[in-house]
Amino acid sequence: MSITILGIESSCDDTSAAVIRDEYLLSNVMSNQDVHMKYGGVVPELASRAHQQNILPVVDRALKLAGVSLIDIDAIAFTRGPGLLGSLLVGTSFTKGLSIATGKPMVDVNHLQGHILSHFIKVPEKEINIQPAFPYLSLLVSGGHTQIVRVDSHSSFTVIGETIDDAVGEAFDKCAKIMGLGYPGGPVVDKLAKEGNKNAFKFAKPRVEGLNYSFSGVKTSLLYFLRDRVAENESFIEENKNDLCASFQSTLIEILMEKLVKASKITGINEITIAGGVSANSGLRDRVVLEGEERGWRTHIPEFRFTTDNAAMIAIAGYYKFLSGYKSSFDIVPVSRSMDYL
Ligand code: KG4
Ligand code: ZN
C-alpha cells in the first residue's frame, strides 16, 4: 500500500509545501520572502506575517501539482523546530486546523533531521536514485547550525561534532554584510568567489578540540582585516571583492573539511553526505567530491533545490516517522531551540 505525505515547512523565511508518495517527490512548492532583503536579515514579525499570507496558496499549489487531493493524503508532516517561533506557529497551527478538518494525522518533524534525510528523496524523472547507506556521516551546514552527525538509521542521529559559537552560514552572511553585498550572503559570496584567487588573503583558522567547530574568530579576523585595509584605501573592498570572497570562502571550507576528514577517520565511516543551505556552495561541493575521490569515500551531494529550506525534506522525514507508527498529539507545540535527535 502506498503512503502519501503532505509536508509543510515554515521555520524561517521560506514557506514551502511538498507531496511525497513512497519516497518519490510529486511536488515541492516554495514561496521566498523578498521583504527581508532591505533589512539585511530576516525580520521575525515580517516572516510570520508572510507565512500567514503564503501558506494556503502554497499548500493548495503543492496538492494540485502533485495531482492529489486531501483525501489521498495519509499524514501531514510539519516542521516543529528549531526556527523562529512565530514562523513555526503558523505552520503548526495551520497543520492542526487541516488535521482536525480532514481527520488526517499530524507528524511533527525536526527541521535538522529533515535536512539530514533529504538525500532519501527520490525524484521520479531520475532513472536511478542513489540513497546513502547506514551508517553515514552528515555534514549539516546551514544558517543556524554546523554539525557532524552520525546517522545509523532513519531515526537514529548522534551529533559527534558541532560549532561552539556561530554557524558557518552566519559566517557567510556576515562576510557579505561587512562587504556590503546584501542578504543572504552565501549565494553572492559563492558567485564572486568563482572569479577570485583563494590564495590572495589569509584569515586565521580556529583551534578547537575534537570534532567541534568555531566560526566567530574567522569572522572577526575578516572584520579587522577589512577595517585596517579600508583605513588605507577606501576602495579596498570594491577593488578586491572577488579575491576577498574566494579567500574567505576557502578558509571556511578548509575548516569544515578538516573536521569532516577527522570524523571519517575516527568513526571509520566512508559514507559521507552534506546537507543544509551551505551545502549549495559550489566550492564546498567540489571539495567534498575531490576529497572523497582521494579518500575512497562514497559521497552524496544533494540537488540544489534540497539544500536550502524546503518542504520535500520535511515530507520525507515525516514519511519515515509515520511508517514507524508515529503520530503527533493535538497538544504539540513548536520549539524554537535545537531539539535532541530522538
Ligand atoms: O538551510 P538554510 O536554508 O536555512 C537554515 O536552516 O538556516 O540555510 C541558509 C544558509 C544562509 O546562511 C545562506 O547564506 C546559506 O545557507 N547559503 C549558502 C549558499 N546558499 C545558501 N552559503 C554558501 N554558499 C551558497 N551557495
Ligand atoms: Zn534549514
Side-chain angles (χ1 to χ4, degrees), residues 110-139:
N110 177 328
H111 180 83
L112 305 180
Q113 290 182 10
H115 276 302
I116 291 170
L117 296 176
S118 61
H119 292 272
F120 290 93
I121 302 166
K122 290 184 178 167
V123 180
E125 306 85 61
K126 268 198 203 164
E127 226 166 83
I128 306 170
N129 282 278
I130 300 168
Q131 297 179 321
F134 298 115
Y136 70 87
L137 295 182
S138 173
L139 176 67

Side-chain angles (χ1 to χ4, degrees), residues 9 11 111 115 142 276-277 307-309 313:
E9 155 65 25
S11 65
H111 180 83
H115 276 302
S142 73
T307 57
T308 46
D309 293 347
M313 69 185 200

Side-chain angles (χ1 to χ4, degrees), residues 241-293:
K241 66 179 178 204
N242 295 350
D243 287 350
L244 283 166
C245 286
S247 303
F248 189 67
Q249 175 175 299
S250 163
T251 309
L252 297 181
I253 294 172
E254 287 302 319
I255 297 170
L256 289 173
M257 290 310 294
E258 197 180 301
K259 297 297 172 88
L260 184 60
V261 168
K262 195 168 175 183
S264 166
K265 280 188 187 154
I266 290 173
T267 58
I269 297 173
N270 287 330
E271 192 84 11
I272 308 289
T273 69
I274 54 173
V278 179
S279 70
N281 185 268
S282 50
L284 178 64
R285 295 163 80 90
D286 292 349
R287 182 64 198 281
V288 170
V289 170
L290 207 74
E291 199 79 42
E293 280 167 6

Side-chain angles (χ1 to χ4, degrees), residues 107-301:
V107 178
D108 58 285
V109 169
N110 177 328
H111 180 83
L112 305 180
Q113 290 182 10
H115 276 302
I116 291 170
L117 296 176
S118 61
H119 292 272
F120 290 93
I121 302 166
K122 290 184 178 167
V123 180
E125 306 85 61
K126 268 198 203 164
E127 226 166 83
I128 306 170
N129 282 278
I130 300 168
Q131 297 179 321
F134 298 115
Y136 70 87
L137 295 182
S138 173
L139 176 67
L140 172 61
V141 278
S142 73
H145 294 83
T146 303
Q147 299 181 328
I148 302 177
V149 183
R150 179 192 163 115
V151 188
D152 284 284
S153 73
H154 294 122
S155 59
S156 172
F157 307 87
T158 313
V159 180
I160 58 171
E162 65 186 325
T163 181
I164 56 169
D165 43 52
D166 297 345
V168 65
E170 272 177 277
F172 270 105
D173 293 337
K174 190 73 190 188
C175 164
K177 196 166 184 172
I178 301 169
M179 291 176 58
L181 302 173
Y183 177 87
V188 53
V189 172
D190 188 358
K191 190 164 161 246
L192 298 179
K194 284 186 187 143
E195 310 298 324
N197 170 10
K198 69 180 167 79
N199 299 314
F201 305 107
K202 287 262 166 290
F203 300 105
K205 282 199 267 173
R207 279 199 202 124
V208 189
E209 293 285 299
L211 297 175
N212 286 340
Y213 288 112
S214 165
F215 290 98
S216 73
V218 63
K219 198 179 72 182
T220 313
S221 154
L222 174 73
L223 186 70
Y224 290 157
F225 174 78
L226 290 178
R227 189 193 57 188
D228 295 346
R229 293 300 176 100
V230 169
E232 293 160 9
N233 167 13
E234 63 179 29
S235 324
F236 180 78
I237 294 178
E238 188 50 38
E239 285 166 13
N240 295 282
K241 66 179 178 204
N242 295 350
D243 287 350
L244 283 166
C245 286
S247 303
F248 189 67
Q249 175 175 299
S250 163
T251 309
L252 297 181
I253 294 172
E254 287 302 319
I255 297 170
L256 289 173
M257 290 310 294
E258 197 180 301
K259 297 297 172 88
L260 184 60
V261 168
K262 195 168 175 183
S264 166
K265 280 188 187 154
I266 290 173
T267 58
I269 297 173
N270 287 330
E271 192 84 11
I272 308 289
T273 69
I274 54 173
V278 179
S279 70
N281 185 268
S282 50
L284 178 64
R285 295 163 80 90
D286 292 349
R287 182 64 198 281
V288 170
V289 170
L290 207 74
E291 199 79 42
E293 280 167 6
E294 277 173 20
R295 296 179 184 277
W297 291 350
R298 227 169 74 106
T299 50
H300 302 265
I301 308 295

Side-chain angles (χ1 to χ4, degrees), residues 34-108:
D34 295 338
V35 64
H36 308 287
M37 270 178 182
K38 64 173 181 245
Y39 298 99
V42 177
V43 183
E45 278 197 34
L46 296 179
S48 327
R49 198 185 328 183
H51 282 306
Q52 192 73 260
Q53 212 165 28
N54 298 337
I55 197 157
L56 194 49
V58 164
V59 168
D60 189 47
R61 181 129 187 82
L63 290 169
K64 288 207 172 97
L65 280 177
V68 302
S69 62
L70 284 169
I71 230 159
D72 308 314
I73 298 291
D74 291 286
I76 312 159
F78 69 100
T79 306
R80 184 182 180 203
L84 300 170
L85 191 63
S87 293
L88 293 165
L89 273 166
V90 177
T92 308
S93 305
F94 181 88
T95 305
K96 285 189 180 189
L98 199 59
S99 171
I100 202 97
T102 57
K104 307 290 180 180
M106 307 186 292
V107 178
D108 58 285

